[in-house]
Each structure stands twice: as structure tokens, then as C-alpha cells.
Amino acid sequence: GRGYFCNTTSGAFNVTLPTSATIGDMVSFIDYAGTFDTYNLSVLRNGHNIQGVAGNLTVSVERAAFSLVYVDATQGWLLTEK
């Protein structure tokens, strides 16, 4: 249930999802300065799938705002909106 304003004005950076996720855990991210298109945000999966895939999520859309909710070990973290 946390939200993060991510400012990539000075360069790209990573955020790491929790390793001990519980069903219903939610985290939100917002492109604070509108710079994800220039300096990407990488969401590191930390052992859990994201959208059912064993891979990290790279966000490169200016002004992106999104939330992830943990569902289960198969799907892992799912986007709550697109």
C-alpha cells in the first residue's frame, strides 16, 4: 500500500519489489518529473514474476503512473490499470 514519486531527472534508476510479497500487497509509482522517456525506471522483480513473466519491468513512458498488486506465485505482480 505504498506510493512512490520517482524522479529520474538526474538519471535512470531501479526500484526493487519486496521479496516477501503477500497476496494483495500493492505498490504505486509516478513519473514525478516527466522524464521516464529519457531516463527509464526499472522495476526489479526480486524473485517474483511480473505480469506472469520472470523478468524485470522497464518503464520508458513520459508521465507514466501505475500500480502493481501481488496476486500469487504464478502471476506474481500484476498491473492494476493499463
Side-chain angles (χ1 to χ4, degrees):
R2 297 242 173 179
Y4 297 93
F5 299 99
C6 301
N7 185 349
T8 61
T9 302
S10 298
F13 67 85
N14 302 330
V15 294
T16 304
L17 293 170
T19 193
S20 58
T22 303
I23 293 173
D25 283 353
M26 183 178 279
V27 63
S28 300
F29 304 95
I30 296 175
D31 183 2
Y32 169 82
T35 54
F36 283 3
D37 58 331
T38 305
Y39 298 112
N40 302 160
L41 173 71
S42 294
V43 181
L44 307 182
R45 66 190 197 96
N46 205 9
H48 296 287
N49 289 342
I50 299 176
Q51 294 286 101
V53 176
N56 297 321
L57 174 66
T58 300
V59 184
S60 59
V61 176
E62 181 180 331
R63 292 289 177 199
F66 62 98
S67 297
L68 295 169
V69 63
Y70 185 78
V71 178
D72 61 24
T74 302
Q75 294 300 314
W77 295 92
L78 296 178
L79 288 165
T80 60
E81 64 273 328
K82 289 189 177 185

